[in-house]
Every structure is written in C-alpha cells, then in structure tokens.
C-alpha cells in the first residue's frame, strides 16, 4: 500500500500575543505528521517576514486566520502578494469573518478555499487531500472552487470537538512578557452559554451545532496545560480568553473553580506564584466565587457591563440588569482585583437619556479603567441583520457603518468619532494602557507585596482617576455641542486639548510602567535571597533603583 505523504503548512495570523486559533490548528497538524511554521502578521510592515518565511519554508499550503474583520483587506492584500510569488500554492482562510462572508471572499481569485467554523478536523484533511491528490469533497466545513468556477460547500460538522482530546496549542520556546511577567493565553471553553448579544457573532458561529451552545474543557485538563507552562516555561501570568470564564449557574462555577484549584495543587502549581486575568458577566459572581478566584490568583477582571441603562442593556440583548452590575461591582471592590469594563453606549436605538446614564455610571466608577464606544457590526451578528432590516447600513464591505436612529445621539457619536477616535487620536491606545495599568498594579501587590508596590498602586489609581475625569469633562463638552451648528472650530479646539492631555498622561503612564518594571526585575533578585521585605521597606534602595 502506498504510504501517504505529509505536507508543509505555513499558518499566518495576527500575533500580538500567541494566537490560539492558529496554534491549535498547528498542534493538530503536527500530531498528524505534518510540518508546521507560524508567521505572525498584524500589519503591512510584517509582510516581509511572512514572505521570507514563505521563501525559506516552501510550504505546500498557506492557511490564513482572518478572525479580525478589521484586518480582512490587509490579509487579502498579503494573499495577493503571495500568489504573485507562488501561484501554485493552495491558500485557505478561516475564522469568524470568512465563516459568514465566504461568498464575498471567494470572489477573490487568489483564495482557493475557506474553512468555515472550527478547523481542527478540516485542516488536516485538507492538507492530506492536497498532498495526496484526493477529492476535496470529504473535507468538512470546506468551501472551495470547482473547475467550472462554482462554489462547492461541503458538509458542516454539527458538534463541538471533545476539547480534552485536542492537543495543547503550539507555544513559542520563550513565552511572551506581559505586565512584566512571563505570560500565556488559554481558553477553557468554546462558544457562549448566553449567545444573544446583538453585537457578537459567537452564537451564530456555533448555531449549526446540536446541543448546548458551548463546550467545556475539564478543570483537570486546564490544570495540566497550566502546569506544563508553569513548570517548563516559568509562566506565572495566565490570561483566559473565554467569552465567559464563569458558568450560567453560580453553583456550577463554584464547583468548577474548586476543582481547578485542587487540580492545580495536584499538578504541583504553587497558587501563590501565579496570577490570572479573566472575563465574566456581572450576573456570574458572588462572594464565594470571588473568594475562590482570589485563591487562584485572579488580579484582573474584565466585567461585561456593556451599558449602564436598562433599556440599553435590553437593546444589546445582554439579559443582565443594573442591579446585577451594581451588586457585582460592590462585591468586587472588597477584593484585590483590578476591575475594568467597556460601555457600548452608542448603538442603533441609543438615546440621549441612555448616554446620560452611561456618563453618570462612568463618573460613579471613575476609579476604574474603562473604555467606551459604539456597538460595531460584526459579520454574522444579529446587529448586522438589524441594521440591514432597518435600512440604516452605511459604508463599504467589510468596513460597515450605520446611522443611529435618534438624530441627537447620532450627532454626538459623530463628534465622539472625530475627537476620541479620530485617525490620530491618542485616546484608544491610552485607554488600553490604563486597563493594563489597573491589572499590573494588582499584579505587583500579589507577587511583590509591600510598601513600594502599594505606592505604585496609589500612583496608578491617581493617573486612572485623572484621565477618567478629563474624559468625562470632554464627553460633557461634546454633549453641549449637540444643539449647536457651525461647530467645526470648537471640535478642532477640543481635539487639540485632548491630544495635549492624553499625550502628556501617556508619557506619565510610560514612566510609571518603567518603575513597575524595575521593581519587578529588582524585586525578583531580592526575593531569591530572602530579602524582599527589606527591599520593600528601604527608601534608600527605592532611590538607588529609581522606583
């Protein structure tokens, strides 16, 4: 019997941090005997490194992760360049965006196929079919062009894979450094038990599945992966990218966290030596759950607030209430966790009354790092269907836009887009830095407790509050422009004021982050010699090391 040939696959995707989507695929390909290389590409400047990898590795297939809709055109441009150099190579793309926009993407002659939905089963079958000249009809979830130019849509897998049976994702030899510590991302589940938020495509992505809209790894399996990263790569900071780290029922969450804790201990992971970053819904927490999260080392919680008005929450399909939000925030303030949130206060049905409530909520919680903006159209989301049905869709594929139904709110959003989110605005980057600062200050207190860490946390809080107060003043100034005409000069003046303030505070934040970095580097050395308490208490050492 003729032995099957194995292939060489180059995986390409955005890699600001390890891209688990392509790294799970890479692990599955390697398990099946294929050679795999990963080439990160997050901007046009990284094209050269991808093309260099293409030249040296000489793959049989290129697989592009197009999960981020905003990067779709960039990846299509990259694919065009690759086909010019190597026209014979099979190029497949995958991710949330191609899953729903496959017909449009397949209009590009340079794209040979699309793997829709999940790709572990499909990608190994696809490279096997290409290398051994098999019929592509047997590759699940695949869409490809037939010889006559028509599209062939293959059968779709209707169940989640057994997540415990998946091999752990490929990892770099040296972990990334995030917040000053060795860092890895993980997922403990797929899908979302809620799956009804209008701005999200997760529900639609898993709609073909039979059974529940989400699947879980066992806590024992998660603990094994964490232990492997902890013992072999010295990873201490773990960020979970689950859409919901907690479960629909508080009892289930409590049991699962308790099992994870016991499993980590069994795997010889020192709980005092790790830290977690998680995301959760406001209705997912109670005191017992937070106590367990604290024991597991949680230093950062991204709380899914999304809107601070009951009508707004309903319009977004959140199924949480202001009581849920306020009670969860009240509970979280009793724990040493950096709490951050995002507000989608602009959406198709948003009103000025909702905007008022969201601004009031920001002011009430200005000691927390937050971001705000508009619910954007994601392919496959209920929001996409809504704006098309209402006839308010604007813009060009794939960069869609829409008009908010209430004129005054629409005007406020457009001014907001020109100022906070203008082409050269410093606010988006600063808001992300503030969120990271919130987490890092709690991380320092956990790993390097003492006077110096507390001082840095106080300075962090001061920067966060000052920036939030300025942001709120700007929002109120924008609010005052809604009823005016001929406001171009006032917008320009406000933009200049914002650029100056955010530029100034960005530099202050960077200097504070440098001091945090020095504390971590020096603090480790003193800890190794059992002198950490002396180091934290010494004003002289603080001056010497500029902390």
């Amino acid at each position: 019997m003729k032995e099957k040939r194995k292939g060489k696959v180059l995986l390409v995707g955005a890699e600001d941090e390890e891209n688990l989507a392509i790294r799970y695929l890479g692990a599955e390909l390697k398990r099946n005997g294929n050679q795999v290389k990963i080439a990160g590409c997050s901007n046009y400047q990284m094209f050269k490194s991808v093309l260099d990898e293409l030249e040296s590795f000489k793959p049989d297939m290129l697989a592009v992760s197009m999960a981020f809709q905003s990067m779709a055109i960039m990846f299509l441009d990259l694919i065009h360049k690759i086909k010019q150099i190597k026209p014979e190579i099979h190029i497949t793309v995958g991710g949330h965006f191609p899953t729903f926009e496959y017909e449009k993407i397949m209009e590009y002659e340079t794209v040979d196929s699309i793997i829709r939905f999940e790709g572990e089963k499909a990608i190994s079958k696809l490279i096997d079919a290409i290398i051994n000249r098999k019929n592509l009809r047997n590759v699940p979830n695949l869409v490809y062009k037939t010889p006559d130019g028509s599209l062939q849509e293959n059968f779709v897998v209707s169940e989640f894979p057994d997540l415990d049976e998946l091999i752990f994702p490929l990892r770099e030899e040296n972990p990334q450094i995030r917040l000053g510590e060795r860092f890895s991302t993980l997922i403990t589940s797929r899908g979302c038990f809620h799956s009804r938020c209008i701005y999200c495509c997760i529900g639609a992505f898993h709609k073909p599945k039979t059974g529940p809209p989400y699947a879980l790894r066992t806590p024992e399996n998660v603990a094994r992966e964490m232990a492997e990263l902890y013992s072999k790569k010295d990873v201490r900071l773990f960020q979970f990218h689950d859409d919901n780290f907690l479960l629909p029922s508080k009892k289930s969450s409590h049991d699962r966290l308790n099992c994870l804790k016991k499993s980590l201990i069994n795997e010889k992971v020192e709980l005092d030596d790790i830290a977690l970053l998680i995301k959760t819904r406001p209705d997912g927490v109670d005191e017992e759950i937070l106590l367990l999260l604290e024991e597991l080392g949680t230093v950062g919680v991204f709380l899914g607030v999304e809107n601070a008005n009951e009508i707004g929450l309903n319009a977004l399909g959140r199924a949480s209430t202001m009581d849920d939000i306020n009670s969860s925030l009240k509970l979280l303030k009793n724990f040493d966790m950096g709490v951050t949130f995002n507000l989608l206060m602009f959406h198709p049905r948003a009103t000025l009354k909702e905007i008022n409530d969201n601004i009031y909520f920001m002011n009430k919680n200005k000691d927390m790092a937050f971001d705000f903006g508009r619910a954007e159209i994601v392919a496959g989301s209920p929001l996409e269907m809504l704006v098309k049905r209402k006839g308010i869709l604007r813009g060009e594929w794939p960069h869609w836009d829409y008009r908010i139904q209430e004129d005054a709110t629409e005007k406020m959003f457009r001014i907001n887009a020109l100022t906070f989110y203008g082409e050269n605005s410093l606010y988006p980057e600063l808001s992300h830095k503030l969120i990271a600062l919130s987490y890092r200050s709690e991380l320092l207190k956990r790993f390097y407790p003492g006077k110096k860490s507390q001082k840095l946390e106080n300075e962090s809080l001061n920067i966060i509050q000052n920036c939030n107060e300025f942001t709120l003043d700007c929002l109120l100034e924008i609010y005052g422009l809604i009823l005016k005409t001929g406001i171009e000069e006032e917008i320009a003046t406000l933009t200049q004021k914002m650029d100056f303030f955010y530029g100034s505070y960005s530099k202050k934040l960077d200097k504070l982050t440098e001091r945090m970095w020095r504390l971590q580097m020096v603090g480790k050395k003193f800890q190794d010699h059992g002198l950490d308490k002396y180091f934290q208490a010494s004003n002289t050492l603080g001056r010497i090391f500029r902390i």
Side-chain angles (χ1 to χ4, degrees):
M1 185 176 178
K2 190 176 179 181
E3 186 178 351
K4 284 185 181 180
R5 293 176 57 224
K6 300 298 181 180
K8 298 168 72 174
V9 182
L10 181 61
L11 297 167
V12 178
E15 279 249 307
D16 296 326
E17 58 188 35
E18 287 186 327
N19 184 328
L20 294 180
I22 57 176
R23 289 177 177 275
Y24 268 107
L25 298 181
E28 187 66 22
L29 285 163
K30 289 192 85 168
R31 175 157 66 176
N32 289 306
N34 300 288
Q35 294 182 56
V36 176
K37 285 285 185 74
I38 292 174
C41 185
S42 301
N43 53 57
Y44 281 92
Q45 287 68 45
M46 298 179 76
F47 278 20
K48 184 179 184 303
S49 62
V50 176
L51 297 176
D52 288 346
E53 194 69 72
L54 181 79
E55 177 62 30
S56 61
F57 185 47
K58 296 179 171 52
D60 303 297
M61 182 174 84
L62 183 88
V64 179
S65 171
M66 206 181 284
F68 301 107
Q69 188 167 319
S70 58
M71 293 183 173
I73 297 300
M74 181 197 77
F75 280 124
L76 289 168
D77 289 344
L78 173 64
I79 289 167
H80 180 74
K81 282 186 176 294
I82 289 170
K83 278 290 190 180
Q84 286 180 319
I85 297 168
K86 195 169 183 179
E88 74 281 4
I89 192 171
H90 186 100
I91 297 182
T92 190
V93 303
H96 293 88
F97 183 62
T99 290
F100 301 107
E101 292 296 307
Y102 64 94
E103 291 180 322
K104 182 73 174 177
I105 293 172
M106 290 299 283
E107 291 177 9
Y108 286 78
E109 293 181 0
T110 49
V111 177
D112 297 300
S113 66
I114 289 174
I115 296 175
R116 302 179 68 210
F117 308 106
E118 289 162 300
E120 282 88 2
K121 286 184 179 180
I123 198 162
S124 288
K125 285 183 176 292
L126 178 58
I127 186 61
D128 177 49
I130 290 167
I131 289 294
N132 295 293
R133 300 184 182 280
K134 295 180 180 178
N135 196 320
L136 296 182
R137 279 183 175 273
N138 296 319
V139 180
N141 297 355
L142 192 72
V143 177
Y144 62 96
K145 293 168 185 158
T146 62
D148 65 4
S150 61
L151 291 188
Q152 169 64 38
E153 298 179 33
N154 288 357
F155 67 97
V156 171
V157 176
S158 60
E159 58 188 16
F160 284 100
D162 183 334
L163 301 187
D164 279 7
E165 290 299 315
L166 295 177
I167 193 165
F168 295 154
L170 297 181
R171 301 288 184 175
E172 293 298 314
E173 187 64 31
N174 295 310
Q176 289 179 300
I177 303 296
R178 182 67 55 89
L179 306 184
E181 302 292 337
R182 286 175 170 251
F183 161 88
S184 279
T185 57
L186 296 93
I187 56 167
T188 70
S189 64
R190 290 191 183 179
C192 173
F193 61 80
H194 180 62
S195 293
R196 292 191 297 277
C197 300
I198 69 164
Y199 50 84
C200 182
C201 67
I202 299 297
F205 189 81
H206 294 291
K207 193 173 182 180
K209 306 280 199 322
T210 56
Y214 68 105
L216 300 172
R217 296 169 65 185
T218 60
E220 294 87 352
N221 183 261
V222 176
R224 279 195 292 276
E225 184 180 8
M226 292 176 70
E228 188 175 291
L229 292 164
Y230 176 78
S231 62
K232 294 181 179 178
K233 298 185 181 293
D234 296 324
V235 170
R236 302 175 81 197
L237 177 60
F238 298 91
Q239 181 166 10
F240 291 90
H241 278 319
D242 302 72
D243 293 290
N244 292 295
F245 184 68
L246 301 176
L247 300 180
S249 112
K250 291 187 174 73
K251 183 182 184 309
S252 298
S253 291
H254 187 275
D255 293 346
R256 183 170 172 81
L257 291 173
N258 209 31
C259 187
L260 177 61
K261 175 187 164 185
K262 290 176 182 176
S263 299
L264 287 168
I265 292 169
N266 289 339
E267 294 285 347
K268 305 294 190 292
V269 175
E270 295 288 339
L271 296 186
D272 290 342
D273 197 39
I274 63 171
L276 312 184
L277 302 172
I278 69 162
K279 295 184 282 189
T280 184
R281 288 171 57 87
D283 50 9
V285 299
D286 62 19
E287 190 166 7
E288 286 188 354
I289 287 171
L290 289 173
L291 283 167
L292 269 173
L293 287 171
E294 185 177 57
E295 289 180 52
L296 286 165
T298 304
V299 295
V301 176
F302 186 86
L303 192 68
V305 176
E306 310 306 348
N307 202 285
N309 172 279
E310 295 286 3
I311 296 174
L313 288 168
N314 289 333
L316 293 173
R318 288 293 295 160
S320 55
T321 67
M322 286 308 301
D323 283 344
D324 294 327
I325 292 167
N326 291 324
S327 62
S328 62
L329 286 172
K330 186 177 179 180
L331 277 173
L332 281 159
K333 286 184 178 181
N334 296 322
F335 292 84
D336 288 331
M337 300 176 190
V339 181
T340 65
F341 60 88
N342 179 53
L343 292 175
L344 299 176
M345 61 184 193
F346 296 105
H347 58 84
R349 299 189 181 102
T351 65
L352 287 185
K353 170 66 170 65
E354 287 180 38
I355 303 299
N356 288 340
D357 288 347
N358 279 272
I359 292 174
Y360 174 79
F361 180 85
M362 289 185 229
N363 187 58
K364 192 171 69 168
N365 296 286
K366 61 188 176 186
D367 58 334
M368 299 179 186
F370 58 75
D371 197 3
F372 68 95
R374 183 178 72 164
E376 298 298 339
I377 303 169
V378 177
S381 66
L383 179 57
E384 180 192 6
M385 291 180 276
L386 173 68
V387 295
K388 285 179 177 177
R389 189 173 69 248
K390 293 282 187 181
I392 55 176
L393 181 66
R394 303 286 187 273
E396 294 184 2
W397 184 94
H399 304 299
W400 291 307
D401 191 7
Y402 64 87
R403 191 182 191 287
I404 296 172
Q405 290 174 306
E406 185 179 88
D407 290 342
T409 309
E410 166 68 9
K411 184 174 181 180
M412 184 171 182
F413 168 72
R414 295 300 165 186
I415 301 172
N416 182 80
L418 289 170
T419 51
F420 283 104
Y421 292 97
E423 186 176 352
N424 299 310
S425 173
L426 301 175
Y427 174 77
E429 183 182 1
L430 179 62
S431 67
H432 293 150
K433 284 183 177 180
L434 291 171
I435 288 171
L437 183 68
S438 173
Y439 297 155
R440 192 168 190 168
S441 64
E442 295 295 344
L443 181 72
L444 293 186
K445 284 170 57 184
R446 178 168 179 79
F447 286 165
Y448 314 95
K451 188 172 74 171
K452 288 181 174 55
S453 294
Q454 186 61 58
K455 180 174 181 288
L456 290 171
E457 184 191 38
N458 293 340
E459 291 183 44
S460 299
L461 181 60
N462 185 56
I463 285 179
I464 288 169
Q465 285 189 279
N466 287 346
C467 287
N468 287 344
E469 286 173 359
F470 177 80
T471 295
L472 288 163
D473 286 343
C474 292
L475 279 170
L476 292 174
E477 193 168 335
I478 290 172
Y479 199 98
L481 297 176
I482 294 172
L483 297 178
K484 292 184 178 181
T485 57
I487 56 175
E488 290 79 9
E489 190 173 328
E490 289 177 87
I491 291 174
T493 301
L494 176 60
T495 301
Q496 288 178 347
K497 182 171 74 171
M498 291 167 70
D499 287 346
F500 177 80
F501 180 92
Y502 291 134
S504 171
Y505 264 83
S506 186
K507 290 175 183 175
K508 288 181 181 180
L509 193 153
D510 289 343
K511 288 179 180 177
L512 178 58
T513 301
E514 287 173 11
R515 290 166 56 208
M516 289 178 160
W517 174 263
R518 287 195 291 271
L519 182 142
Q520 288 169 283
M521 295 302 100
V522 177
K524 284 184 177 74
K525 301 291 185 185
F526 278 89
Q527 281 182 348
D528 291 343
H529 291 86
L531 296 170
D532 44 313
K533 289 184 180 178
Y534 170 70
F535 165 67
Q536 286 281 344
S538 172
N539 292 328
T540 302
L541 289 174
R543 287 193 295 272
I544 290 172
F545 294 110
R546 294 178 293 132
I547 296 168

